[in-house]
Amino acid sequence: MTRVVEQRGLYFDELEEDVIYAHKPGRTVTETDNVLFTTMTMNTQALHLDAAWSAGQPFGQRLMNSMFTLSTMVGQSVTQLTQGTIIAQLGLTDVTFPHPLYHGDTLYTETVITGKRLSSSRPGQGVVTMQHTGRNQDGAVVGLATRTCLMWTKEAHAAQS
């Protein structure tokens, strides 16, 4: 019989605190990404859409939509950490964007597990807190976010299937 390997994230029991999980490859962001995301979410901010106006602003050019940056940071972590092993995202806090992300930049994200505990009310599940850090190709931090998720333990998920 042929062995099947299914891509998945890590279970609660496999996640280690204070380890840097580097999510590769990076994602080079484009003007199309920015315009599409911005208009799909009905964000009419000229800093994302109007090149002429943005040229006269402090950064001198359009900025990537910060919600696109946040979404991509979380998305880059999924295959390595939560694909098929998450039950629910519980929250995002402490979201900051210390440096702009521009068209043509490449976003690299890493995650550190800053806390984990078994759920007292949901056997076989645990609460995991993650710190996502997004950097551009030069290493400048373009986004930070703390994310809390409800995760399966390996044994409980196998029993549930």
Side-chain angles (χ1 to χ4, degrees):
M1 174 158 290
T2 303
R3 190 168 80 96
V4 175
V5 177
E6 184 176 330
Q7 183 172 334
R8 66 163 172 86
L10 300 175
Y11 285 106
F12 175 86
D13 349 35
E14 298 170 312
L15 291 166
E16 296 179 45
E17 290 184 62
D18 301 320
V19 169
I20 296 173
Y21 294 91
H23 313 302
K24 304 290 177 158
R27 171 69 157 76
T28 301
V29 299
T30 68
E31 177 180 13
T32 300
D33 295 327
N34 200 27
V35 171
L36 184 61
F37 185 89
T38 297
T39 56
M40 280 178 32
T41 57
M42 299 180 68
N43 179 341
T44 59
Q45 177 53 253
L47 277 171
H48 308 311
L49 298 173
D50 187 332
W53 183 83
S54 296
Q57 297 307 303
F59 292 106
Q61 61 181 301
R62 286 170 291 167
L63 308 178
M64 289 300 293
N65 185 313
S66 58
M67 294 297 97
F68 177 87
T69 302
L70 176 62
S71 295
T72 305
M73 288 167 47
V74 170
Q76 286 178 311
S77 74
V78 168
T79 55
Q80 189 174 18
L81 298 180
T82 62
Q83 179 68 46
T85 57
I86 189 174
I87 298 161
Q89 177 163 286
L90 302 176
L92 287 161
T93 61
D94 305 316
V95 178
T96 61
F97 303 100
H99 186 281
L101 191 64
Y102 301 110
H103 300 162
D105 280 351
T106 301
L107 177 61
Y108 296 96
T109 300
E110 59 191 37
T111 302
V112 175
I113 306 303
T114 58
K116 60 184 254 188
R117 65 172 178 77
L118 287 170
S119 173
S120 56
S121 61
R122 300 178 70 102
Q125 301 173 13
V127 177
V128 177
T129 303
M130 312 173 180
Q131 175 69 47
H132 298 297
T133 302
R135 299 176 193 278
N136 70 11
Q137 66 281 354
D138 300 320
V141 175
V142 297
L144 294 162
T146 300
R147 179 176 173 218
T148 306
C149 299
L150 186 62
M151 306 284 296
W152 283 109
T153 63
K154 189 173 187 176
E155 184 180 323
H157 195 216
Q160 183 266 346
S161 297

